[in-house]
């Protein structure tokens, strides 16, 4: 499957993602959650476009992430007004 954004303009996508590691995970599965937390333990910034309610269902609220990874910065891109995490 991969990142669908690469289908719109592959050349620009490749240029913008040079040196960036993109990982696709099933966060509803235990293995996906385990991999996410292994990655977060060594990550500086988490960029997400999930709805705040979806993050809460996955146990990935700002409070939970900050408690587990105090140095992690989270950037949440929300397309509609949402409830603050």
């Amino acid at each position: 499957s991969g990142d669908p954004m690469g289908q719109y303009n592959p050349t620009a996508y490749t240029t913008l993602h040079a040196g960036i590691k993109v990982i696709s995970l099933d966060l509803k599965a235990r293995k996906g959650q385990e991999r996410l937390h292994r990655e977060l333990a060594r990550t500086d910034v988490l960029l997400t476009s999930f709805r705040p309610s979806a993050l809460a269902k996955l146990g990935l609220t700002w409070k939970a992430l900050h408690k587990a990874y105090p140095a992690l910065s989270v950037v949440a891109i929300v397309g509609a007004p949402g409830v603050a995490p």
Side-chain angles (χ1 to χ4, degrees):
S1 62
D3 189 336
M5 293 304 295
Q7 297 173 14
Y8 298 115
N9 188 332
T11 303
Y13 184 86
T14 300
T15 300
L16 291 171
H17 287 79
I20 294 175
K21 183 177 182 182
V22 177
I23 302 171
S24 297
L25 304 171
D26 179 358
L27 297 180
K28 292 180 181 178
R30 182 183 54 79
K31 285 187 177 187
Q33 282 275 335
E34 289 172 354
R35 172 76 188 274
L36 173 68
H37 287 283
R38 280 195 309 272
E39 295 296 332
L40 290 176
R42 57 194 188 116
T43 298
D44 297 316
V45 178
L46 172 64
L47 176 65
T48 177
S49 61
F50 281 90
R51 293 181 321 276
S53 61
L55 289 172
K57 286 180 185 177
L58 294 168
L60 301 172
T61 62
W62 163 246
K63 286 183 181 181
L65 289 170
H66 184 62
K67 182 177 181 181
Y69 313 101
L72 180 69
S73 295
V74 178
V75 177
I77 300 170
V78 182
V83 177

